[in-house]
């Protein structure tokens, strides 16, 4: 009889593929994990693991060590990009998946270096999707969107490590221990790839600023039927002097479209507020007192 059942074989296969590709990272006083994502010696970790450090060291389970430099950090997504001084010494990069394809209950495997124990592997399931993780950088605040919640055991040192699906594809970067049996991971998806590309190119992520605060809200039935829209973003606050205020947006407006794209929550707005939106007219459609109102806002750069 096979000593390993199907579940064990899956977890073992993922562990065999990924443990060699996840390094223990030491930068100044900080420590955590990082995943090799590119053959040119590029690793991804959490911004909070790196802190203010500019360099450090990566240690792999096979004994390989490499000095690293911090290419860029983005506290508002809790992501950072590192580059090894000797890319040829690093293992092949991990395969990246797409967190947007995950479903609740799906098997996931966490690989990292908790409490200094290199190459540790835990397994669990996706407990929930679409969680929000508040972040801050100076006076700027943001919500990391579509955060993955898992019951795979995470401990200090797991931060920056890989959360992988059953095929060994990295679908998340473990970021926080939110409680007993509750861990969070930044998703690997199109938005994450865009952030990593910006960090590699410029060392930072430029973001546009609109100046609204809101929450999801249902669209009135008559409007929902006519426009095929079930929910929108109800504005609770429009910051005085902001691009949104200058465009004429008001608290109480129900935002339906931004940039001609349907919006149902704050994340739908955030996805459009990267550097290429700075200074560019952005059409916004809202429902106000039962009437459709179109305005044009010009986002400024978030400082």
């Amino acid at each position: 009889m096979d000593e390993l059942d199907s579940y064990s074989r899956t977890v073992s296969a993922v562990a065999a593929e990924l443990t060699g590709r996840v390094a223990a990272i030491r930068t100044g006083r900080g420590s955590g994990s990082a995943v090799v994502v590119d053959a040119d010696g590029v690793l991804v970790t959490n911004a909070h693991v790196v802190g203010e450090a500019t360099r450090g060291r990566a240690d792999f389970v096979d004994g390989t060590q490499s000095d690293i430099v911090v290419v860029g950090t983005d506290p508002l997504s809790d992501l950072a990009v590192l580059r090894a001084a000797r890319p040829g010494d690093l293992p092949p990069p991990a395969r990246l998946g797409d967190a947007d394809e995950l479903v609740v209950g799906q098997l996931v495997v966490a690989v990292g270096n908790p409490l200094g124990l290199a190459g540790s592997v835990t397994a669990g399931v996706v407990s929930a999707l679409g969680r929000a993780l508040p972040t801050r950088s100076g006076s700027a605040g943001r919500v990391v969107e579509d955060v993955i919640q898992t019951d795979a055991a995470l401990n200090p040192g797991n931060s920056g490590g890989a959360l992988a699906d059953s095929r060994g594809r990295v679908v998340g970067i473990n970021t926080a221990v939110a409680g007993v049996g509750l861990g969070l991971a930044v998703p690997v998806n199109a938005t994450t790839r865009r952030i990593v590309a910006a960090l590699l190119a410029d060392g930072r992520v430029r973001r546009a600023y609109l100046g609204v605060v809101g929450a999801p809200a249902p669209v009135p039935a008559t409007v929902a039927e006519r426009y095929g829209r079930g929910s929108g973003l109800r504005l609770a606050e429009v910051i005085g002097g902001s691009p949104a205020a200058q465009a004429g947006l008001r608290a109480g407006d129900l935002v339906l479209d931004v940039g001609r794209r349907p919006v149902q929550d704050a994340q739908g707005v955030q996805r459009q507020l990267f550097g290429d939106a700075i200074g560019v007219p952005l059409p916004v459609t809202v429902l106000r007192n039962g009437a459709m109102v179109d305005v044009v806002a010009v986002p400024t750069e978030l400082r």
Side-chain angles (χ1 to χ4, degrees):
M1 189 174 186
D2 195 335
E3 294 180 358
L4 295 177
D5 59 20
S6 177
Y7 175 87
S8 299
R9 283 195 297 269
T10 298
V11 175
S12 296
V14 174
E17 177 169 352
L18 280 181
T19 50
R21 294 169 166 83
V22 178
I25 298 296
R26 292 173 177 79
T27 57
R29 296 181 179 179
S31 64
S33 305
V35 185
V36 180
V37 298
D38 188 276
D40 290 333
V42 176
L43 302 94
V44 171
T45 186
N46 290 144
H48 77 261
V49 168
V50 172
E52 300 296 324
T54 58
R55 58 186 64 250
R57 192 183 74 193
D59 296 293
F60 293 87
V61 292
D62 65 356
T64 299
Q65 295 182 341
S66 179
D67 292 332
I68 54 171
V69 295
V70 178
V71 177
T73 64
D74 181 41
L76 292 180
S77 66
D78 198 20
L79 291 173
V81 171
L82 318 173
R83 190 182 297 275
R86 300 184 302 278
D89 293 348
L90 268 59
R95 293 181 294 135
L96 299 182
D98 186 353
D100 292 346
E101 298 178 356
L102 292 174
V103 298
V104 174
Q106 181 173 339
L107 170 67
V108 284
V109 179
V111 180
N113 304 277
L115 306 174
L117 302 173
S120 294
V121 175
T122 58
V125 299
V126 175
S127 304
L129 294 167
R131 296 302 196 208
L133 179 67
T135 57
R136 181 161 293 278
S137 179
S139 61
R142 187 176 183 271
V143 173
V144 181
E145 62 190 43
D146 298 330
V147 170
I148 304 163
Q149 178 184 322
T150 176
D151 66 354
L154 301 179
N155 289 287
N158 269 117
S159 291
L163 187 73
D165 63 14
S166 60
R167 296 171 62 182
R169 300 173 302 184
V170 179
V171 293
I173 303 298
N174 297 318
T175 189
V177 181
V180 177
L182 176 59
L184 301 175
V186 176
V188 171
N189 54 20
T191 300
T192 308
R193 287 177 168 85
R194 190 172 182 180
I195 291 169
V196 170
L199 290 174
L200 282 170
D202 303 318
R204 67 188 184 100
V205 178
R206 297 180 68 213
R207 286 190 174 85
Y209 170 66
L210 193 57
V212 296
V213 179
V219 172
T222 54
V223 177
E225 291 177 6
R226 184 181 306 172
Y227 295 96
R229 202 69 55 79
S231 61
L233 180 70
R234 179 75 68 185
L235 298 186
E237 181 182 3
V238 176
I239 308 302
S242 68
Q246 294 174 10
L249 291 173
R250 307 173 186 171
D253 285 348
L254 183 62
V255 180
L256 300 179
D257 292 308
V258 174
R260 310 300 183 196
R261 299 177 184 176
V263 165
Q264 297 182 356
D265 50 28
Q267 290 88 343
V269 178
Q270 286 182 174
R271 291 188 189 102
Q272 301 187 53
L273 296 180
F274 280 90
D276 53 6
I278 298 170
V280 178
L282 184 69
V284 180
T285 300
V286 303
L287 183 66
R288 180 186 297 164
N289 298 324
M292 291 291 194
V293 177
D294 292 314
V295 303
V296 176
V298 181
T300 56
E301 184 166 2
L302 179 64
R303 299 293 184 180

